[in-house]
Amino acid sequence: MNYNVNEKGYYGDFGGAYIPEMLYPNVEELRQNYIKVMQEPEFQKEFNELLKEYVGRPTPLYFAKRFSEKYGVKIYLKREDLCHTGAHKVNNTIGQILMAKRLGKTRIIAETGAGQHGVATATVCALMGLECIVYMGAVDIKRQAPNVARMKMLGATVVSAESGSKTLKDATNEAIRDWINNPTDTHYIIGSVVGPHPYPDMVARFQSVISAEVKKQLLEKEGRENPDYVVACVGGGSNAAGIYYHYLDNPEVGIIAVEAAGKGIHSGESAATSALGKEGIIHGSKTLLMQTADGQITEPYSISAGLDYPGVGPMHANLFRSGRGEFISVTDADAMKAGLDLSKLEGIIPAIETSHALAIFNDRKFKKDDIIVINLSGRGDKDLNTYIEYFDLA
Amino acid sequence: MNRINKRLQEDKELLSIYFTAGYPDLEDTVPVLEELVKSGVDMIEIGLPFSDPLADGPTIQQSSTAALKNGMTTAKLFDQIKDIRKTVDIPLIVMGYFNPMLQYGVEAFCAKCAEIGIDGLIMPDLPLAEYQEHYQSIFEKYDLKMVFLITPQTTDERIRQIDDATNSFIYMVSSASTTGKTSGFGNVQTDYFKRIAALSLKNPQIVGFGIKDEDTFKAATATAKGAIIGSAFIKSLTENGISGIADFIKSIRP
Ligand SMILES: Cc1ncc(COP(=O)(O)O)c(C=O)c1O
């Protein structure tokens, strides 16, 4: 089985480019060029240099001794939280800004939920001196004030998305509408492995540096390239795609995807797309998404703003349907507790998104010698207010 | 012959109106339709509201949101218009996004449209390649004309592909924009209209997006077969209600 994208832009039944004709020239330009550009030695050199000198890669693969002891397994943490700007998102924005420059684009747009991708985009735009407009739901602008301030400091314009439910999916709609209205000079930096082909594949390729590094690092530490499992939280699925990428077609390595159950899968306030979603179209991609019986897209809920996306990338929809991936959902309460645990046991405060991936060990049992690599996708600084309120830490 | 094709053969400039079903009130769908026909429009696009209308500007976003809040659904629309052919005989097109159709079932949706007497479909986010590979045969089985969009950015080569795949008219989006956005037509539009006219396509073209008054209607129909008005009509409907429809249509085509 091949779990990567095929030449038509599909992962099994999922993917494609369901876009209005107004977007066709832009998306087609990208489709025809992205692999060619990424394979240019000059592009590779610039990308790798920036990842090393600016982002701080390779990020450590850290053996979490005390956290491992607690659960009786061997847990390694891939420290994406140590990337510049505090999450894996920047791997993608570095790649896409270089792509945009190669395509002659001068204006950059992006969507953001929690603000991490917005900050990562504003950062690379500052680095390259390009105009940057970030769409963010009006509700999220209020919830994530520090990241709004960071984007502004970096020179970006933050535009409030006032349509629909005023959160991530609406910010994405607004970014797409902006692209329709600015068809020649603008590149849209999507923040996850979502959207029309070739975005899911392009973003996965930029994030694949994560599992490329894990292979080398694990070989040094354990004498083997393959862990028993790779684990990641899934919002749209970019940090997950990054840590799965080089293991996708290797059945020796188990793939575990952790979704946000919110207040419980059947509480009506959840973002567990694989459990609650049905096949449909969102933001130009055929995938699993949360919707009404009538095909209207519904608003998900999670305590973590980075996981409350009503869809999931087509790669992950296919991992779910084919059974290649094991999908687990974790509630707000269990995630928050795991975040506090890791802080106390390892001195690492994780992003709440990441905390979901750390919370699987109470219910999911592993063999004693299993080697498990968790993608520690981001640090918790942006979430301090939520942690403070939740645990009454003030 | 399909009503759209018949109308396209008539020797006149066609005025087509888009409206959102279930707006302003849930049960306004049929009254709006009937009033439009009485006012003399040549074709109607019945908008099936969607939660995330990517190609639409604020006006149609708002009418869609309001219609959904009113309780509009695909099944509800089909129920409202089930007897529409008893009173209305002009071409009717359903315009919406692909996801609600997918959930209803593409074949079931087409069968229902045929049963009611719908003549065509416009699904902006169902692209040519996907349509041809998966759905064309179903649409054709029910004699539903699929209408594709082109824009000033669409290459001649792609326009020819779209022309080949079409058997009704081509929806010419007047400028690179979401609906309801442009402020009049400039040189870009004039050049674009001329470029398309010079291609001598087999299908006639109808211009949409940014048509809002007599001037823009005339500019569009100088080279194209007709024009479609959406946002400007919704605005008028919001302000003046159903009783204002006749005056609005007169203001476009006195
Ligand atoms: C730290 C962190 N992890 C995970 C995510 C979820 O995104 P994805 O599933 O694309 O990795 C986000 C999104 O904002 C994030 O900030």
Side-chain angles (χ1 to χ4, degrees):
Chain A
M1 267 298 265
N2 173 9
Y3 295 97
N4 222 317
V5 74
N6 70 19
E7 67 289 346
K8 287 186 171 167
Y10 278 82
Y11 299 83
D13 301 330
F14 301 108
Y18 293 81
I19 46 167
E21 191 63 29
M22 293 81 111
L23 286 178
Y24 182 84
N26 279 328
V27 172
E28 182 62 12
E29 178 184 32
L30 201 56
R31 190 185 70 80
Q32 285 184 3
N33 290 293
Y34 80 111
I35 290 179
K36 200 167 62 197
V37 170
M38 284 173 84
Q39 287 173 346
E40 282 167 11
E42 265 307 298
F43 182 96
Q44 284 292 322
K45 183 160 170 280
E46 206 177 342
F47 182 56
N48 291 328
E49 255 170 39
L50 282 170
L51 288 185
K52 177 160 179 270
E53 307 293 340
Y54 188 72
V55 174
R57 301 205 74 91
T59 58
L61 181 69
Y62 165 71
F63 175 60
K65 187 159 170 287
R66 298 186 67 208
F67 196 65
S68 294
E69 276 165 9
K70 174 165 177 170
Y71 296 109
V73 281
K74 273 189 133 172
I75 299 171
Y76 282 89
L77 303 175
K78 181 59 175 162
R79 297 291 307 276
E80 294 300 296
D81 61 317
L82 296 177
C83 287
H84 177 45
T85 71
H88 67 289
K89 296 281 179 189
V90 72
N91 303 326
N92 170 41
T93 60
I94 292 270
Q96 285 205 49
I97 199 88
L98 295 178
M99 181 69 62
K101 283 184 67 174
R102 295 288 188 292
L103 297 177
K105 307 293 178 179
T106 54
R107 181 175 173 275
I108 300 297
I109 55 173
E111 86 295 340
T112 197
Q116 283 307 105
H117 174 61
V119 167
T121 304
T123 298
V124 298
C125 287
L127 181 67
M128 298 293 168
L130 292 183
E131 184 187 0
C132 179
I133 297 114
V134 179
Y135 289 89
M136 188 168 185
V139 170
D140 290 333
I141 287 183
K142 277 207 199 106
R143 285 198 290 202
Q144 309 285 335
N147 271 343
V148 176
R150 286 169 85 192
M151 288 184 267
K152 288 186 177 160
M153 234 182 124
L154 293 161
T157 306
V158 180
V159 181
S160 176
E162 302 285 346
S163 59
S165 50
K166 304 182 172 59
T167 59
L168 177 57
K169 95 174 159 68
D170 309 287
T172 308
N173 291 341
E174 289 304 330
I176 292 174
R177 289 181 187 122
D178 179 309
W179 212 17
I180 288 175
N181 285 291
N182 295 281
T184 48
D185 62 347
T186 298
H187 176 72
Y188 176 20
I189 300 190
I190 291 188
S192 192
V193 287
V194 301
H197 178 69
Y199 274 106
D201 184 43
M202 180 172 68
V203 176
R205 285 169 187 256
F206 287 138
Q207 293 291 1
S208 72
V209 63
I210 298 173
S211 48
E213 288 175 5
V214 170
K215 280 181 115 170
K216 269 198 215 145
Q217 292 167 320
L218 201 65
L219 186 63
E220 276 168 24
K221 289 174 200 293
E222 294 282 346
R224 55 191 261 202
E225 284 188 340
N226 300 338
D228 294 294
Y229 296 93
V230 283
V231 181
C233 66
V234 175
S238 65
N239 88 87
I243 201 151
Y244 302 161
Y245 197 87
H246 292 287
Y247 297 118
L248 280 173
D249 296 329
N250 181 346
E252 278 173 36
V253 181
I255 285 177
I256 297 181
V258 187
E259 293 181 313
K263 296 182 178 168
I265 287 187
H266 300 295
S267 64
E269 290 183 85
S270 176
T273 306
S274 69
L276 298 170
K278 277 188 309 186
E279 188 171 325
I281 311 282
I282 182 169
H283 300 137
S285 178
K286 186 182 268 184
T287 187
L288 295 172
L289 63 125
M290 293 168 59
Q291 53 184 315
T292 65
D294 195 44
Q296 309 296 339
I297 299 172
T298 54
E299 187 55 24
Y301 162 83
S302 164
I303 194 167
S304 67
L307 299 185
D308 65 355
Y309 184 67
V312 66
M315 172 197 280
H316 303 297
N318 184 49
L319 291 175
F320 176 73
R321 180 167 287 180
S322 64
R324 172 70 180 99
E326 176 182 347
F327 281 65
I328 296 176
S329 59
V330 162
T331 61
D332 288 357
D334 288 347
M336 294 301 279
K337 197 172 153 299
L340 194 59
D341 256 13
L342 191 78
S343 306
K344 296 236 155 95
L345 288 171
E346 298 289 349
I348 299 170
I349 301 176
I352 296 175
E353 290 81 8
T354 314
S355 297
H356 287 73
L358 300 165
I360 62 172
F361 297 97
N362 288 318
D363 293 334
R364 173 66 163 87
K365 297 301 174 199
F366 294 89
K367 290 205 293 289
K368 193 170 159 300
D369 302 326
D370 278 348
I371 294 179
I372 297 159
V373 178
I374 302 178
N375 197 359
L376 202 82
S377 58
R379 61 178 178 239
D381 304 34
K382 71 182 176 63
D383 296 316
L384 269 191
N385 271 335
T386 314
Y387 279 127
I388 287 168
E389 272 175 37
Y390 194 87
F391 292 115
D392 219 355
L393 299 171
Chain B
M1 185 191 277
N2 183 295
R3 290 179 198 86
I4 300 173
N5 300 76
K6 221 184 281 170
R7 177 116 295 177
L8 289 166
Q9 287 178 356
E10 288 171 28
D11 184 23
K12 69 189 273 209
E13 289 150 2
L14 304 183
L15 172 59
S16 182
I17 297 289
Y18 165 94
F19 78 103
T20 305
Y23 180 82
D25 288 318
L26 181 60
E27 297 303 337
D28 282 341
T29 309
V30 172
V32 169
L33 266 166
E34 291 179 345
E35 188 63 19
L36 281 169
V37 175
K38 247 199 271 171
S39 307
V41 309
D42 302 302
M43 188 156 72
I44 297 174
E45 285 155 42
I46 306 169
L48 183 57
F50 181 49
S51 55
D52 295 74
L54 287 181
D56 287 302
T59 304
I60 294 178
Q61 285 173 42
Q62 273 151 24
S63 64
S64 301
T65 305
L68 291 172
K69 237 186 226 145
N70 289 342
M72 184 45 75
T73 64
T74 308
K76 179 82 193 163
L77 172 64
F78 287 149
D79 189 54
Q80 286 177 338
I81 61 173
K82 67 178 188 299
D83 295 323
I84 199 69
R85 284 303 173 198
K86 289 183 182 155
T87 51
V88 169
D89 60 7
I90 67 172
L92 297 176
I93 294 174
V94 170
M95 178 161 185
Y97 289 80
F98 189 43
N99 196 50
M101 181 178 192
L102 203 56
Q103 298 314 312
Y104 193 89
V106 173
E107 173 122 30
F109 193 103
C110 289
K112 198 77 196 171
C113 284
E115 182 189 318
I116 291 167
I118 298 295
D119 305 291
L121 296 171
I122 305 177
M123 296 272 152
D125 60 345
L126 175 56
L128 181 64
E130 299 294 339
Y131 169 73
Q132 288 183 314
E133 189 163 334
H134 300 293
Y135 305 112
Q136 183 168 7
S137 57
I138 305 174
F139 280 44
E140 284 175 359
K141 178 172 156 195
Y142 295 97
D143 192 25
L144 289 165
K145 304 298 177 192
M146 173 71 171
V147 177
F148 290 101
L149 278 53
I150 62 171
T151 82
Q153 268 68 41
T154 313
T155 60
D156 287 358
E157 185 195 350
R158 185 156 169 91
I159 291 173
R160 297 236 181 256
Q161 284 171 5
I162 286 171
D163 191 40
D164 278 345
T166 302
N167 176 18
S168 55
F169 66 90
I170 290 174
Y171 192 138
M172 249 175 92
V173 175
S174 65
S175 58
S177 77
T178 42
T179 53
K181 228 186 160 186
T182 51
S183 42
F185 291 154
N187 290 340
V188 176
Q189 280 71 37
T190 318
D191 292 350
Y192 166 55
F193 293 166
K194 278 191 201 144
R195 170 167 77 99
I196 302 305
L199 289 176
S200 308
L201 301 174
K202 85 177 160 80
N203 292 281
Q205 304 95 49
I206 299 190
V207 179
F209 289 39
I211 316 286
K212 54 179 182 171
D213 52 23
E214 192 181 349
D215 283 350
T216 42
F217 180 75
K218 275 193 177 146
T221 51
T223 56
K225 177 70 188 165
I228 301 170
I229 302 181
S231 298
F233 175 73
I234 303 275
K235 263 190 205 138
S236 162
L237 188 61
T238 306
E239 283 161 21
N240 309 314
I242 295 177
S243 59
I245 290 179
D247 283 344
F248 177 81
I249 300 300
K250 244 184 251 148
S251 78
I252 304 295
R253 194 165 63 176

